[in-house]
mmCIF file of all heavy atoms in Angstrom:
data_model
loop_
_atom_site.group_PDB
_atom_site.id
_atom_site.type_symbol
_atom_site.label_atom_id
_atom_site.label_comp_id
_atom_site.label_asym_id
_atom_site.label_seq_id
_atom_site.Cartn_x
_atom_site.Cartn_y
_atom_site.Cartn_z
ATOM 1 N N TRP A 1330 -31.170 7.618 -91.103
ATOM 2 C CA TRP A 1330 -31.473 6.276 -90.627
ATOM 3 C C TRP A 1330 -30.179 5.412 -90.743
ATOM 4 O O TRP A 1330 -29.361 5.544 -91.685
ATOM 5 C CB TRP A 1330 -32.542 5.689 -91.511
ATOM 6 C CG TRP A 1330 -33.913 6.298 -91.327
ATOM 7 C CD1 TRP A 1330 -34.376 7.390 -91.764
ATOM 8 C CD2 TRP A 1330 -35.028 5.552 -90.570
ATOM 9 N NE1 TRP A 1330 -35.643 7.547 -91.379
ATOM 10 C CE2 TRP A 1330 -36.070 6.506 -90.675
ATOM 11 C CE3 TRP A 1330 -35.105 4.445 -89.761
ATOM 12 C CZ2 TRP A 1330 -37.322 6.143 -90.000
ATOM 13 C CZ3 TRP A 1330 -36.320 4.102 -89.262
ATOM 14 C CH2 TRP A 1330 -37.399 4.987 -89.285
ATOM 15 N N MET A 1331 -30.028 4.399 -89.826
ATOM 16 C CA MET A 1331 -28.984 3.463 -90.044
ATOM 17 C C MET A 1331 -29.281 2.551 -91.313
ATOM 18 O O MET A 1331 -30.424 2.344 -91.622
ATOM 19 C CB MET A 1331 -28.992 2.474 -88.831
ATOM 20 C CG MET A 1331 -28.291 2.997 -87.577
ATOM 21 S SD MET A 1331 -28.183 1.725 -86.327
ATOM 22 C CE MET A 1331 -27.236 2.638 -85.087
ATOM 23 N N THR A 1332 -28.264 2.163 -91.932
ATOM 24 C CA THR A 1332 -28.310 1.408 -93.200
ATOM 25 C C THR A 1332 -28.245 -0.115 -92.957
ATOM 26 O O THR A 1332 -28.146 -0.847 -93.872
ATOM 27 C CB THR A 1332 -27.316 1.876 -94.229
ATOM 28 O OG1 THR A 1332 -26.043 1.710 -93.620
ATOM 29 C CG2 THR A 1332 -27.470 3.324 -94.586
ATOM 30 N N LYS A 1333 -28.048 -0.492 -91.750
ATOM 31 C CA LYS A 1333 -28.107 -1.934 -91.470
ATOM 32 C C LYS A 1333 -28.731 -2.232 -90.200
ATOM 33 O O LYS A 1333 -28.831 -1.236 -89.311
ATOM 34 C CB LYS A 1333 -26.743 -2.577 -91.578
ATOM 35 C CG LYS A 1333 -25.748 -2.210 -90.442
ATOM 36 C CD LYS A 1333 -24.494 -3.093 -90.655
ATOM 37 C CE LYS A 1333 -23.476 -2.719 -89.482
ATOM 38 N NZ LYS A 1333 -22.160 -3.504 -89.729
ATOM 39 N N ASN A 1334 -29.204 -3.454 -89.945
ATOM 40 C CA ASN A 1334 -29.901 -3.743 -88.657
ATOM 41 C C ASN A 1334 -28.857 -3.776 -87.536
ATOM 42 O O ASN A 1334 -27.775 -4.188 -87.676
ATOM 43 C CB ASN A 1334 -30.561 -5.203 -88.864
ATOM 44 C CG ASN A 1334 -31.525 -5.257 -89.914
ATOM 45 O OD1 ASN A 1334 -31.994 -4.180 -90.463
ATOM 46 N ND2 ASN A 1334 -31.900 -6.469 -90.373
ATOM 47 N N LEU A 1335 -29.473 -3.370 -86.388
ATOM 48 C CA LEU A 1335 -28.691 -3.361 -85.158
ATOM 49 C C LEU A 1335 -28.158 -4.742 -84.702
ATOM 50 O O LEU A 1335 -28.942 -5.741 -84.846
ATOM 51 C CB LEU A 1335 -29.464 -2.654 -84.094
ATOM 52 C CG LEU A 1335 -28.695 -2.118 -82.863
ATOM 53 C CD1 LEU A 1335 -27.911 -0.864 -83.259
ATOM 54 C CD2 LEU A 1335 -29.594 -1.775 -81.671
ATOM 55 N N ALA A 1336 -27.016 -4.847 -84.212
ATOM 56 C CA ALA A 1336 -26.384 -6.068 -83.761
ATOM 57 C C ALA A 1336 -25.792 -5.926 -82.390
ATOM 58 O O ALA A 1336 -24.914 -6.774 -82.038
ATOM 59 C CB ALA A 1336 -25.362 -6.586 -84.875
ATOM 60 N N ALA A 1337 -26.359 -5.082 -81.538
ATOM 61 C CA ALA A 1337 -25.770 -4.823 -80.256
ATOM 62 C C ALA A 1337 -26.198 -5.888 -79.233
ATOM 63 O O ALA A 1337 -27.328 -6.180 -79.182
ATOM 64 C CB ALA A 1337 -26.109 -3.364 -79.826
ATOM 65 N N GLY A 1338 -25.256 -6.311 -78.469
ATOM 66 C CA GLY A 1338 -25.587 -7.276 -77.288
ATOM 67 C C GLY A 1338 -25.555 -6.538 -76.025
ATOM 68 O O GLY A 1338 -25.692 -7.170 -74.955
ATOM 69 N N HIS A 1339 -25.348 -5.199 -76.020
ATOM 70 C CA HIS A 1339 -25.224 -4.297 -74.886
ATOM 71 C C HIS A 1339 -26.032 -3.076 -75.151
ATOM 72 O O HIS A 1339 -26.062 -2.643 -76.238
ATOM 73 C CB HIS A 1339 -23.824 -3.992 -74.446
ATOM 74 C CG HIS A 1339 -22.876 -5.156 -74.158
ATOM 75 N ND1 HIS A 1339 -22.323 -5.979 -75.131
ATOM 76 C CD2 HIS A 1339 -22.539 -5.682 -73.001
ATOM 77 C CE1 HIS A 1339 -21.638 -6.882 -74.596
ATOM 78 N NE2 HIS A 1339 -21.685 -6.826 -73.230
ATOM 79 N N TYR A 1340 -26.515 -2.512 -74.029
ATOM 80 C CA TYR A 1340 -27.042 -1.200 -74.128
ATOM 81 C C TYR A 1340 -25.873 -0.202 -74.105
ATOM 82 O O TYR A 1340 -24.777 -0.530 -73.947
ATOM 83 C CB TYR A 1340 -27.952 -0.874 -73.009
ATOM 84 C CG TYR A 1340 -29.189 -1.776 -73.043
ATOM 85 C CD1 TYR A 1340 -29.520 -2.706 -72.051
ATOM 86 C CD2 TYR A 1340 -30.210 -1.529 -74.067
ATOM 87 C CE1 TYR A 1340 -30.595 -3.520 -72.166
ATOM 88 C CE2 TYR A 1340 -31.254 -2.382 -74.220
ATOM 89 C CZ TYR A 1340 -31.565 -3.370 -73.209
ATOM 90 O OH TYR A 1340 -32.570 -4.134 -73.295
ATOM 91 N N ALA A 1341 -26.161 1.084 -74.369
ATOM 92 C CA ALA A 1341 -25.066 2.142 -74.497
ATOM 93 C C ALA A 1341 -24.290 2.280 -73.316
ATOM 94 O O ALA A 1341 -23.085 2.696 -73.311
ATOM 95 C CB ALA A 1341 -25.738 3.529 -75.014
ATOM 96 N N ASN A 1342 -24.910 2.023 -72.116
ATOM 97 C CA ASN A 1342 -24.195 2.135 -70.882
ATOM 98 C C ASN A 1342 -23.331 0.928 -70.468
ATOM 99 O O ASN A 1342 -22.826 0.789 -69.367
ATOM 100 C CB ASN A 1342 -25.219 2.451 -69.679
ATOM 101 C CG ASN A 1342 -26.144 1.366 -69.474
ATOM 102 O OD1 ASN A 1342 -26.099 0.246 -70.092
ATOM 103 N ND2 ASN A 1342 -27.047 1.560 -68.527
ATOM 104 N N GLY A 1343 -23.290 -0.091 -71.430
ATOM 105 C CA GLY A 1343 -22.532 -1.355 -71.113
ATOM 106 C C GLY A 1343 -23.316 -2.481 -70.579
ATOM 107 O O GLY A 1343 -22.853 -3.554 -70.410
ATOM 108 N N GLN A 1344 -24.587 -2.259 -70.085
ATOM 109 C CA GLN A 1344 -25.432 -3.261 -69.537
ATOM 110 C C GLN A 1344 -25.693 -4.315 -70.521
ATOM 111 O O GLN A 1344 -26.010 -4.103 -71.778
ATOM 112 C CB GLN A 1344 -26.714 -2.707 -69.041
ATOM 113 C CG GLN A 1344 -27.667 -3.736 -68.531
ATOM 114 C CD GLN A 1344 -29.045 -3.176 -68.184
ATOM 115 O OE1 GLN A 1344 -29.253 -1.977 -68.222
ATOM 116 N NE2 GLN A 1344 -30.053 -3.961 -67.916
ATOM 117 N N THR A 1345 -25.479 -5.641 -70.229
ATOM 118 C CA THR A 1345 -25.753 -6.720 -71.130
ATOM 119 C C THR A 1345 -27.121 -6.952 -71.388
ATOM 120 O O THR A 1345 -27.921 -6.983 -70.382
ATOM 121 C CB THR A 1345 -25.033 -8.030 -70.506
ATOM 122 O OG1 THR A 1345 -23.641 -7.746 -70.448
ATOM 123 C CG2 THR A 1345 -25.197 -9.181 -71.559
ATOM 124 N N ILE A 1346 -27.571 -7.223 -72.571
ATOM 125 C CA ILE A 1346 -28.839 -7.593 -72.849
ATOM 126 C C ILE A 1346 -28.969 -9.131 -72.663
ATOM 127 O O ILE A 1346 -28.236 -9.812 -73.247
ATOM 128 C CB ILE A 1346 -29.353 -7.170 -74.288
ATOM 129 C CG1 ILE A 1346 -29.014 -5.630 -74.513
ATOM 130 C CG2 ILE A 1346 -30.803 -7.455 -74.602
ATOM 131 C CD1 ILE A 1346 -29.202 -5.258 -75.952
ATOM 132 N N PRO A 1347 -30.009 -9.596 -71.960
ATOM 133 C CA PRO A 1347 -30.224 -11.016 -71.795
ATOM 134 C C PRO A 1347 -30.294 -11.806 -73.170
ATOM 135 O O PRO A 1347 -31.227 -11.424 -73.963
ATOM 136 C CB PRO A 1347 -31.465 -11.188 -70.962
ATOM 137 C CG PRO A 1347 -31.567 -9.962 -70.231
ATOM 138 C CD PRO A 1347 -31.148 -8.828 -71.185
ATOM 139 N N PHE A 1348 -29.357 -12.743 -73.387
ATOM 140 C CA PHE A 1348 -29.422 -13.480 -74.619
ATOM 141 C C PHE A 1348 -30.347 -14.763 -74.286
ATOM 142 O O PHE A 1348 -29.939 -15.570 -73.482
ATOM 143 C CB PHE A 1348 -28.005 -13.955 -75.049
ATOM 144 C CG PHE A 1348 -27.967 -14.771 -76.216
ATOM 145 C CD1 PHE A 1348 -28.105 -14.187 -77.472
ATOM 146 C CD2 PHE A 1348 -27.716 -16.098 -76.160
ATOM 147 C CE1 PHE A 1348 -28.095 -14.947 -78.664
ATOM 148 C CE2 PHE A 1348 -27.675 -16.857 -77.354
ATOM 149 C CZ PHE A 1348 -27.854 -16.292 -78.544
ATOM 150 N N VAL A 1349 -31.341 -14.864 -75.036
ATOM 151 C CA VAL A 1349 -32.306 -15.924 -74.818
ATOM 152 C C VAL A 1349 -32.185 -16.967 -76.030
ATOM 153 O O VAL A 1349 -32.671 -16.606 -77.068
ATOM 154 C CB VAL A 1349 -33.806 -15.535 -74.660
ATOM 155 C CG1 VAL A 1349 -34.720 -16.598 -74.409
ATOM 156 C CG2 VAL A 1349 -33.732 -14.379 -73.522
ATOM 157 N N GLU A 1350 -31.767 -18.110 -75.776
ATOM 158 C CA GLU A 1350 -31.348 -19.007 -76.970
ATOM 159 C C GLU A 1350 -32.508 -20.031 -77.233
ATOM 160 O O GLU A 1350 -32.907 -20.128 -78.366
ATOM 161 C CB GLU A 1350 -30.031 -19.747 -76.618
ATOM 162 C CG GLU A 1350 -29.612 -20.610 -77.731
ATOM 163 C CD GLU A 1350 -28.194 -21.195 -77.471
ATOM 164 O OE1 GLU A 1350 -27.568 -20.793 -76.478
ATOM 165 O OE2 GLU A 1350 -27.743 -22.034 -78.248
ATOM 166 N N THR A 1351 -32.943 -20.792 -76.234
ATOM 167 C CA THR A 1351 -33.777 -21.840 -76.483
ATOM 168 C C THR A 1351 -35.220 -21.510 -76.766
ATOM 169 O O THR A 1351 -35.626 -20.372 -76.323
ATOM 170 C CB THR A 1351 -33.790 -22.917 -75.386
ATOM 171 O OG1 THR A 1351 -34.506 -22.323 -74.253
ATOM 172 C CG2 THR A 1351 -32.376 -23.263 -74.962
ATOM 173 N N THR A 1352 -35.961 -22.245 -77.450
ATOM 174 C CA THR A 1352 -37.409 -22.052 -77.810
ATOM 175 C C THR A 1352 -38.196 -21.947 -76.519
ATOM 176 O O THR A 1352 -39.033 -20.960 -76.349
ATOM 177 C CB THR A 1352 -37.994 -23.081 -78.709
ATOM 178 O OG1 THR A 1352 -37.224 -23.105 -79.894
ATOM 179 C CG2 THR A 1352 -39.382 -22.845 -78.976
ATOM 180 N N ALA A 1353 -37.930 -22.733 -75.574
ATOM 181 C CA ALA A 1353 -38.637 -22.805 -74.292
ATOM 182 C C ALA A 1353 -38.391 -21.543 -73.553
ATOM 183 O O ALA A 1353 -39.384 -20.962 -72.998
ATOM 184 C CB ALA A 1353 -38.363 -24.033 -73.531
ATOM 185 N N ASP A 1354 -37.248 -21.072 -73.477
ATOM 186 C CA ASP A 1354 -36.961 -20.005 -72.676
ATOM 187 C C ASP A 1354 -37.479 -18.686 -73.268
ATOM 188 O O ASP A 1354 -37.995 -17.850 -72.635
ATOM 189 C CB ASP A 1354 -35.441 -19.734 -72.531
ATOM 190 C CG ASP A 1354 -34.685 -20.725 -71.603
ATOM 191 O OD1 ASP A 1354 -35.478 -21.370 -70.820
ATOM 192 O OD2 ASP A 1354 -33.476 -20.905 -71.623
ATOM 193 N N TRP A 1355 -37.413 -18.633 -74.714
ATOM 194 C CA TRP A 1355 -38.093 -17.506 -75.309
ATOM 195 C C TRP A 1355 -39.637 -17.459 -75.021
ATOM 196 O O TRP A 1355 -40.236 -16.480 -74.868
ATOM 197 C CB TRP A 1355 -37.823 -17.432 -76.790
ATOM 198 C CG TRP A 1355 -38.129 -16.102 -77.420
ATOM 199 C CD1 TRP A 1355 -39.389 -15.794 -77.915
ATOM 200 C CD2 TRP A 1355 -37.328 -15.024 -77.660
ATOM 201 N NE1 TRP A 1355 -39.365 -14.475 -78.395
ATOM 202 C CE2 TRP A 1355 -38.154 -13.969 -78.300
ATOM 203 C CE3 TRP A 1355 -36.007 -14.709 -77.464
ATOM 204 C CZ2 TRP A 1355 -37.615 -12.701 -78.694
ATOM 205 C CZ3 TRP A 1355 -35.492 -13.545 -77.827
ATOM 206 C CH2 TRP A 1355 -36.179 -12.475 -78.399
ATOM 207 N N ASN A 1356 -40.237 -18.635 -75.136
ATOM 208 C CA ASN A 1356 -41.664 -18.792 -74.898
ATOM 209 C C ASN A 1356 -42.041 -18.361 -73.528
ATOM 210 O O ASN A 1356 -43.139 -17.793 -73.254
ATOM 211 C CB ASN A 1356 -42.082 -20.208 -75.060
ATOM 212 C CG ASN A 1356 -43.607 -20.380 -75.039
ATOM 213 O OD1 ASN A 1356 -44.319 -19.701 -75.614
ATOM 214 N ND2 ASN A 1356 -44.044 -21.493 -74.299
ATOM 215 N N ASP A 1357 -41.079 -18.465 -72.530
ATOM 216 C CA ASP A 1357 -41.354 -18.139 -71.174
ATOM 217 C C ASP A 1357 -41.160 -16.580 -70.949
ATOM 218 O O ASP A 1357 -41.371 -16.170 -69.790
ATOM 219 C CB ASP A 1357 -40.361 -18.895 -70.195
ATOM 220 C CG ASP A 1357 -40.836 -20.343 -70.197
ATOM 221 O OD1 ASP A 1357 -42.054 -20.637 -70.444
ATOM 222 O OD2 ASP A 1357 -40.064 -21.155 -69.747
ATOM 223 N N ASN A 1358 -40.722 -15.856 -71.899
ATOM 224 C CA ASN A 1358 -40.547 -14.456 -71.810
ATOM 225 C C ASN A 1358 -41.797 -13.726 -71.343
ATOM 226 O O ASN A 1358 -42.967 -14.216 -71.687
ATOM 227 C CB ASN A 1358 -40.081 -13.834 -73.136
ATOM 228 C CG ASN A 1358 -38.532 -13.948 -73.301
ATOM 229 O OD1 ASN A 1358 -37.848 -14.323 -72.448
ATOM 230 N ND2 ASN A 1358 -38.194 -13.681 -74.500
ATOM 231 N N THR A 1359 -41.688 -12.742 -70.587
ATOM 232 C CA THR A 1359 -42.920 -11.897 -70.226
ATOM 233 C C THR A 1359 -42.833 -10.699 -71.146
ATOM 234 O O THR A 1359 -41.863 -10.418 -71.733
ATOM 235 C CB THR A 1359 -42.853 -11.493 -68.783
ATOM 236 O OG1 THR A 1359 -41.700 -10.675 -68.519
ATOM 237 C CG2 THR A 1359 -42.875 -12.735 -67.870
ATOM 238 N N VAL A 1360 -43.952 -9.935 -71.143
ATOM 239 C CA VAL A 1360 -43.983 -8.666 -71.975
ATOM 240 C C VAL A 1360 -42.917 -7.693 -71.562
ATOM 241 O O VAL A 1360 -42.475 -6.858 -72.453
ATOM 242 C CB VAL A 1360 -45.379 -8.104 -71.839
ATOM 243 C CG1 VAL A 1360 -45.492 -6.670 -72.485
ATOM 244 C CG2 VAL A 1360 -46.524 -8.987 -72.429
ATOM 245 N N THR A 1361 -42.581 -7.717 -70.406
ATOM 246 C CA THR A 1361 -41.593 -6.764 -69.899
ATOM 247 C C THR A 1361 -40.098 -7.231 -69.779
ATOM 248 O O THR A 1361 -39.233 -6.543 -69.431
ATOM 249 C CB THR A 1361 -41.951 -6.210 -68.446
ATOM 250 O OG1 THR A 1361 -41.991 -7.326 -67.503
ATOM 251 C CG2 THR A 1361 -43.259 -5.578 -68.455
ATOM 252 N N LYS A 1362 -39.928 -8.500 -70.201
ATOM 253 C CA LYS A 1362 -38.575 -9.076 -70.144
ATOM 254 C C LYS A 1362 -37.696 -8.669 -71.339
ATOM 255 O O LYS A 1362 -38.031 -8.877 -72.517
ATOM 256 C CB LYS A 1362 -38.668 -10.539 -70.104
ATOM 257 C CG LYS A 1362 -37.289 -11.201 -69.844
ATOM 258 C CD LYS A 1362 -37.333 -12.704 -69.771
ATOM 259 C CE LYS A 1362 -35.956 -13.307 -69.570
ATOM 260 N NZ LYS A 1362 -36.027 -14.854 -69.479
ATOM 261 N N ARG A 1363 -36.550 -8.090 -71.086
ATOM 262 C CA ARG A 1363 -35.527 -7.702 -72.134
ATOM 263 C C ARG A 1363 -34.912 -9.021 -72.651
ATOM 264 O O ARG A 1363 -34.569 -9.890 -71.834
ATOM 265 C CB ARG A 1363 -34.541 -6.771 -71.578
ATOM 266 C CG ARG A 1363 -35.071 -5.433 -71.040
ATOM 267 C CD ARG A 1363 -33.926 -4.704 -70.263
ATOM 268 N NE ARG A 1363 -34.361 -3.398 -69.862
ATOM 269 C CZ ARG A 1363 -35.031 -3.023 -68.814
ATOM 270 N NH1 ARG A 1363 -35.456 -4.126 -68.042
ATOM 271 N NH2 ARG A 1363 -35.382 -1.893 -68.420
ATOM 272 N N ALA A 1364 -34.800 -9.091 -73.942
ATOM 273 C CA ALA A 1364 -34.280 -10.350 -74.513
ATOM 274 C C ALA A 1364 -33.801 -10.078 -75.941
ATOM 275 O O ALA A 1364 -34.369 -9.129 -76.583
ATOM 276 C CB ALA A 1364 -35.318 -11.455 -74.520
ATOM 277 N N TYR A 1365 -32.818 -10.795 -76.418
ATOM 278 C CA TYR A 1365 -32.391 -10.776 -77.753
ATOM 279 C C TYR A 1365 -31.909 -12.109 -78.145
ATOM 280 O O TYR A 1365 -31.582 -12.958 -77.363
ATOM 281 C CB TYR A 1365 -31.419 -9.595 -77.958
ATOM 282 C CG TYR A 1365 -29.940 -9.935 -77.844
ATOM 283 C CD1 TYR A 1365 -29.115 -10.012 -78.868
ATOM 284 C CD2 TYR A 1365 -29.455 -10.215 -76.514
ATOM 285 C CE1 TYR A 1365 -27.777 -10.319 -78.857
ATOM 286 C CE2 TYR A 1365 -28.078 -10.375 -76.398
ATOM 287 C CZ TYR A 1365 -27.255 -10.566 -77.493
ATOM 288 O OH TYR A 1365 -25.945 -10.837 -77.358
ATOM 289 N N CYS A 1366 -31.761 -12.227 -79.495
ATOM 290 C CA CYS A 1366 -31.077 -13.405 -80.053
ATOM 291 C C CYS A 1366 -30.616 -13.149 -81.480
ATOM 292 O O CYS A 1366 -30.734 -11.990 -81.873
ATOM 293 C CB CYS A 1366 -32.041 -14.606 -80.059
ATOM 294 S SG CYS A 1366 -33.569 -14.213 -81.030
ATOM 295 N N TRP A 1367 -30.175 -14.074 -82.159
ATOM 296 C CA TRP A 1367 -30.017 -13.965 -83.574
ATOM 297 C C TRP A 1367 -30.547 -15.275 -84.223
ATOM 298 O O TRP A 1367 -30.724 -16.285 -83.625
ATOM 299 C CB TRP A 1367 -28.596 -13.679 -84.056
ATOM 300 C CG TRP A 1367 -27.506 -14.489 -83.503
ATOM 301 C CD1 TRP A 1367 -27.138 -15.743 -83.911
ATOM 302 C CD2 TRP A 1367 -26.638 -14.190 -82.393
ATOM 303 N NE1 TRP A 1367 -26.086 -16.177 -83.151
ATOM 304 C CE2 TRP A 1367 -25.754 -15.270 -82.136
ATOM 305 C CE3 TRP A 1367 -26.622 -13.078 -81.509
ATOM 306 C CZ2 TRP A 1367 -24.875 -15.307 -81.192
ATOM 307 C CZ3 TRP A 1367 -25.725 -13.099 -80.454
ATOM 308 C CH2 TRP A 1367 -24.758 -14.220 -80.378
ATOM 309 N N TYR A 1368 -30.884 -15.075 -85.484
ATOM 310 C CA TYR A 1368 -31.788 -16.063 -86.253
ATOM 311 C C TYR A 1368 -31.224 -17.451 -86.127
ATOM 312 O O TYR A 1368 -30.037 -17.718 -86.553
ATOM 313 C CB TYR A 1368 -32.012 -15.713 -87.629
ATOM 314 C CG TYR A 1368 -33.177 -16.293 -88.352
ATOM 315 C CD1 TYR A 1368 -34.392 -15.732 -88.361
ATOM 316 C CD2 TYR A 1368 -33.088 -17.652 -88.877
ATOM 317 C CE1 TYR A 1368 -35.515 -16.367 -88.962
ATOM 318 C CE2 TYR A 1368 -34.128 -18.212 -89.594
ATOM 319 C CZ TYR A 1368 -35.408 -17.605 -89.540
ATOM 320 O OH TYR A 1368 -36.410 -18.209 -90.183
ATOM 321 N N GLU A 1369 -31.809 -18.430 -85.518
ATOM 322 C CA GLU A 1369 -31.456 -19.822 -85.368
ATOM 323 C C GLU A 1369 -30.114 -20.010 -84.733
ATOM 324 O O GLU A 1369 -29.439 -21.022 -84.944
ATOM 325 C CB GLU A 1369 -31.664 -20.563 -86.654
ATOM 326 C CG GLU A 1369 -33.051 -20.607 -87.218
ATOM 327 C CD GLU A 1369 -33.221 -21.464 -88.443
ATOM 328 O OE1 GLU A 1369 -32.127 -21.612 -89.165
ATOM 329 O OE2 GLU A 1369 -34.328 -21.906 -88.792
ATOM 330 N N ASN A 1370 -29.732 -18.955 -83.913
ATOM 331 C CA ASN A 1370 -28.379 -19.062 -83.239
ATOM 332 C C ASN A 1370 -27.216 -19.303 -84.200
ATOM 333 O O ASN A 1370 -26.136 -19.686 -83.683
ATOM 334 C CB ASN A 1370 -28.447 -20.159 -82.189
ATOM 335 C CG ASN A 1370 -29.561 -20.040 -81.233
ATOM 336 O OD1 ASN A 1370 -29.696 -18.914 -80.568
ATOM 337 N ND2 ASN A 1370 -30.407 -21.081 -80.965
ATOM 338 N N VAL A 1371 -27.400 -18.852 -85.445
ATOM 339 C CA VAL A 1371 -26.264 -19.040 -86.451
ATOM 340 C C VAL A 1371 -25.554 -17.653 -86.560
ATOM 341 O O VAL A 1371 -26.101 -16.638 -86.842
ATOM 342 C CB VAL A 1371 -26.794 -19.395 -87.818
ATOM 343 C CG1 VAL A 1371 -25.663 -19.420 -88.855
ATOM 344 C CG2 VAL A 1371 -27.473 -20.707 -87.695
ATOM 345 N N THR A 1372 -24.250 -17.676 -86.161
ATOM 346 C CA THR A 1372 -23.547 -16.433 -86.010
ATOM 347 C C THR A 1372 -23.449 -15.636 -87.361
ATOM 348 O O THR A 1372 -23.579 -14.469 -87.442
ATOM 349 C CB THR A 1372 -22.030 -16.696 -85.616
ATOM 350 O OG1 THR A 1372 -22.061 -17.351 -84.329
ATOM 351 C CG2 THR A 1372 -21.265 -15.458 -85.472
ATOM 352 N N ALA A 1373 -23.408 -16.488 -88.481
ATOM 353 C CA ALA A 1373 -23.459 -15.819 -89.739
ATOM 354 C C ALA A 1373 -24.765 -14.968 -90.019
ATOM 355 O O ALA A 1373 -24.644 -13.964 -90.714
ATOM 356 C CB ALA A 1373 -23.263 -16.862 -90.971
#
């Protein structure tokens, strides 16, 4: 097992994962929509 949480913003083939920042945009996600973020948009 990996010993830390994944932090990838791309899939292995280089495809960018959609970064969804705002609350409204995340709420608008569909079940099939690829999305990622980090907690409260704080880089740390």
